[in-house]
Amino acid sequence: MSSSAPYRVLFVCLGNICRSPAAEIIFNAVAAKAGLARRVQADSCGTASYHTGSRPDSRMLAALERAGYTYGGHRARTFCRADFSNFDLIIPQDEFNERDIRQLARCVSDNAKVQGMWLWFGEEETEKSVPDPYYGSAEDFDAVVALLTRSMERLVADLSAVGC
Ligand code: 4NP
């Protein structure tokens, strides 16, 4: 952590068009606000390839815009084994994503990098997942943005505390 290389965080969901690109955008904004912009690097991807090459879902972009976040141009891609080498921390958004990522792990240290988003949920959150808003309403997309914002504040505080 104290080396000069940025600490690399990968957010993972199913399609990489709703939750994980939102997580990446919100993480970058919260990290920048905390003065960590040069110390961390984020990316996102999906466990499924249906949406490879697509922009985030327009409903998610609208919810992010309502909350004051800016889309930086991410295009969907699929998780691959090399991601275990290319990232320090891999954060699935739900337990299905976690299971699918762990199935590709090559060793104990790959598995140790996988830490569910819910580890940074507060006590007010009872679910162990970022709810999938794909078949939901605008309010469901807003709720994901709010949950991720609360979670990223805790994650960025943790990274800051360990010297990022
Ligand atoms: P995400 O949401 O995993 O948060 O990007 C979904 C995107 C697409 C689908 C499901 C969830 N889909 O079934 O195509």
Side-chain angles (χ1 to χ4, degrees), residues 16 23 119 127 141:
N16 193 212
L119 294 176
E127 298 293 318
F141 281 85

Side-chain angles (χ1 to χ4, degrees), residues 122-143:
E123 282 168 12
E124 67 277 22
E125 264 82 54
T126 51
E127 298 293 318
K128 204 180 158 190
S129 70
V130 178
D132 183 351
Y134 191 68
Y135 294 104
S137 63
E139 289 71 30
D140 295 321
F141 281 85
D142 287 337

Side-chain angles (χ1 to χ4, degrees), residues 12-22 45-48 50-51 56-57 59-60 76 93-94 97 130-135 141 144:
V12 187
C13 62
L14 176 65
N16 193 212
I17 56 168
C18 296
R19 293 165 293 174
S20 63
C45 65
T47 56
Y50 336 118
H51 297 284
D57 188 298
R59 298 166 297 168
M60 183 50 88
Q93 302 296 293
D94 68 32
N97 314 146
V130 178
D132 183 351
Y134 191 68
Y135 294 104
F141 281 85
V144 167

Side-chain angles (χ1 to χ4, degrees), residues 101-119:
I101 294 166
R102 289 197 189 282
Q103 276 174 357
L104 293 174
R106 301 159 299 187
C107 55
V108 171
S109 69
D110 284 354
N111 260 309
K113 292 182 176 184
V114 183
Q115 304 283 337
M117 193 73 251
W118 48 93
L119 294 176

Side-chain angles (χ1 to χ4, degrees), residues 32-49:
K33 213 167 135 193
L36 295 188
R38 295 162 73 94
R39 300 292 314 129
V40 295
Q41 240 172 37
D43 190 14
S44 66
C45 65
T47 56
S49 56

Side-chain angles (χ1 to χ4, degrees), residues 4 12 21 29 35-36 39 45 47 53 61 65 67-68 82 86 88 115 120 125 129 139 145 150 153 160 164:
S4 57
V12 187
L36 295 188
R39 300 292 314 129
C45 65
T47 56
L61 290 178
E65 200 177 316
N86 294 335
D88 300 298
Q115 304 283 337
W120 292 277
E125 264 82 54
S129 70
E139 289 71 30
V145 171
R150 294 193 294 274
E153 279 159 7
S160 197
C164 271

Side-chain angles (χ1 to χ4, degrees), residues 51-69:
H51 297 284
T52 294
S54 299
R55 288 162 55 90
D57 188 298
S58 57
R59 298 166 297 168
M60 183 50 88
L61 290 178
L64 287 163
E65 200 177 316
R66 284 194 289 280
Y69 297 106

